Amino acid sequence: MASSSTTGSRHCCFLLALPLLSSTAHGQLSPTFYAATRCSALDRIVRDEVSRALFRDPPPLGGPRMGASLRLFFHDCFVQGCDAAVLLDVDPTKGILLGEKDAGPNANSLRGFEVVDSIQSKVEAACPGVVSCADILALATREAVVALNGSTWPLLLGRLDSRTANQSQANSDLPSPGSDIDTLIAAFARKGFTAPELVALSGAHTIGLARCVNVDQSQMQRCRVPTTDSGLMAALDDQTPEEFDSHYYDKLGKRGLSRSDRVLTSRGDLDALVRKYSASQAAFFADFASAMKKMSEVGVLTGAHGEVRANCRRVN
Ligand code: HEM
Ligand SMILES: *[C@@H]1O[C@H](CO)[C@@H](O)[C@H](O)[C@H]1NC(C)=O
Ligand SMILES: *[C@@H]1O[C@H](CO)[C@@H](O)[C@H](O)[C@H]1NC(C)=O
């Protein structure tokens, strides 16, 4: 489909990729990494594909639920950094023996892989070999939140994609829904986040669904949202499950779907923050935005150990 135009643009961007490689060798993310000639179509492609994906299916599968790419990004960044390793399929010929996507917290749960694939194939046609899957995931996540009328944040770009995945780190470092507050604080501290940032980031649960196995006993009556792929599920935010807003925080200690949501109110200073976000969506949006920007920079690859994958699911 896009093939007729690729020869010319490949020629153009191959040359332009040389300064790109040398700048990544210095290990710098930059706000203007793909500016103008490198890939001027990038922002538009990501925006169009994300809104197409978000609003293709009716709720609960479409719309907000596809904003669940938020979770994909979180689970990428918390495991050896925002390096798109979570996208890699098992491929023994490339040394990928176990996938992060098959780890306990991810298997039969993470969504949005095809959305990343479709964005990447369009970006690849427009700007071959230039834009990493890790950057696409960072951009798509932000655009999903924007499309849902949530907050926005500035992104630095120039991440490279990993040539490895680490399933055991996915199993050890991704927080589990049965966690108590100290365990959650420690899991986020390991990645450089403060306890207040844990509270702000948990507001991502303003959208999306959970499987009943992850639901607190006290909330089991909420496991009644039918889905075609996972049976009955429960809305993480039972008041406005379709809106990116701050109602997740309302009476969170009672209403939180999982233990990990409920315990955010169990420490006085954090409970004060929960109440602040519940009262002020603007306060939540501002703190969520800065914490997401920070998340987008966790452990990024910019040196010799990364690459720009031609296919997000496979090492080159
Ligand atoms: C604080 C620690 C966290 C824990 C323990 C946790 C746990 C979970 C669990 C168990 C689910 C349901 C998954 C399923 O049943 O398939 C879920 C869903 C979700 N989580 Fe979290 N989460 C946490 C933080 C975050 C953060 C920081 C983000 C993003 C910034 C996030 C984004 C999401 C989204 C969007 C969904 C909905 C997914 C969907 O509808 O498919 N979570 N989370
Ligand atoms: C976002 O806001 C616009 C303008 O108010 C509205 O038309 C649109 O339906 C909203 N989108 C979502 C997903 O809530
Ligand atoms: C995978 O992660 C674990 C736990 O963080 C770490 O001990 C191990 O060295 C990592 N393996 C590789 C190959 O990086």
Side-chain angles (χ1 to χ4, degrees):
M1 205 163 62
S3 57
S4 60
S5 67
T6 49
T7 316
S9 52
R10 176 163 300 149
H11 181 67
C12 123
C13 295
F14 177 69
L15 295 175
L16 289 166
L18 296 176
L20 170 104
L21 291 175
S22 63
S23 71
T24 55
H26 297 294
Q28 292 289 320
L29 294 182
S30 147
T32 54
F33 196 77
Y34 300 111
T37 46
R38 268 182 195 153
C39 195
S40 55
L42 178 60
D43 289 339
R44 181 186 49 77
I45 294 172
V46 173
R47 211 177 314 121
D48 288 356
E49 289 301 304
V50 165
S51 25
R52 205 197 314 270
L54 281 174
F55 304 112
R56 187 180 44 206
D57 303 319
L61 284 180
R65 183 86 204 281
M66 250 314 156
S69 69
L70 254 180
R71 184 162 198 249
L72 190 56
F73 189 54
F74 164 47
H75 284 202
D76 184 33
C77 296
F78 261 50
V79 182
Q80 70 179 24
C82 308
D83 60 0
V86 73
L87 305 177
L88 289 172
D89 288 337
V90 168
D91 182 356
T93 68
K94 304 283 182 168
I96 308 298
L97 304 178
L98 297 168
E100 289 179 15
K101 56 171 63 164
D102 301 319
N106 293 338
N108 302 316
S109 176
L110 282 190
R111 297 159 56 81
F113 294 104
E114 338 66 51
V115 179
V116 177
D117 290 341
S118 84
I119 298 171
Q120 196 266 350
S121 66
K122 294 217 159 65
V123 169
E124 188 63 16
C127 324
V130 173
V131 184
S132 66
C133 298
D135 276 348
I136 287 174
L137 197 47
L139 286 164
T141 298
R142 181 185 63 183
E143 290 317 309
V145 174
V146 169
L148 295 172
N149 293 337
S151 50
T152 189
W153 51 94
L155 280 175
L156 300 179
L157 298 170
R159 294 165 192 74
L160 289 177
D161 300 324
S162 71
R163 296 197 187 97
T164 60
N166 192 330
Q167 188 184 87
S168 67
Q169 194 176 123
N171 281 319
S172 61
D173 289 10
L174 291 171
S176 88
S179 305
D180 61 26
I181 188 66
D182 292 333
T183 306
L184 290 175
I185 291 172
F188 277 68
R190 206 174 298 135
K191 307 297 170 181
F193 292 92
T194 64
E197 285 167 337
L198 156 69
V199 177
L201 287 168
S202 295
H205 288 176
T206 178
I207 52 166
L209 304 175
R211 291 166 299 159
C212 305
V213 58
N214 289 320
V215 172
D216 199 278
Q217 267 314 321
S218 67
Q219 304 296 309
M220 211 47 91
Q221 78 285 356
R222 282 160 62 182
C223 246
R224 53 178 159 68
V225 181
T227 67
T228 50
D229 54 358
S230 310
L232 292 180
M233 296 182 78
L236 287 154
D237 169 5
D238 65 338
Q239 298 189 87
T240 53
E242 261 126 66
E243 323 232 331
F244 198 101
D245 59 19
S246 66
H247 287 302
Y248 161 79
Y249 294 101
D250 298 351
K251 302 204 172 73
L252 185 61
K254 274 209 194 90
R255 276 203 175 113
L257 187 66
S258 298
R259 184 169 184 223
S260 56
D261 298 300
R262 301 161 74 80
V263 297
L264 296 176
T265 63
S266 69
R267 209 177 85 176
D269 59 330
L270 302 182
D271 185 41
L273 204 48
V274 165
R275 281 185 277 114
K276 175 175 159 187
Y277 293 153
S278 166
S280 165
Q281 184 173 98
F284 164 54
F285 277 14
D287 291 356
F288 183 75
S290 13
M292 286 302 290
K293 176 174 190 293
K294 181 168 172 179
M295 185 185 292
S296 77
E297 291 161 21
V298 170
V300 295
L301 276 179
T302 52
H305 297 292
E307 62 184 20
V308 172
R309 278 183 217 142
N311 172 336
C312 292
R313 294 172 185 260
R314 304 187 48 197
V315 172
N316 288 344

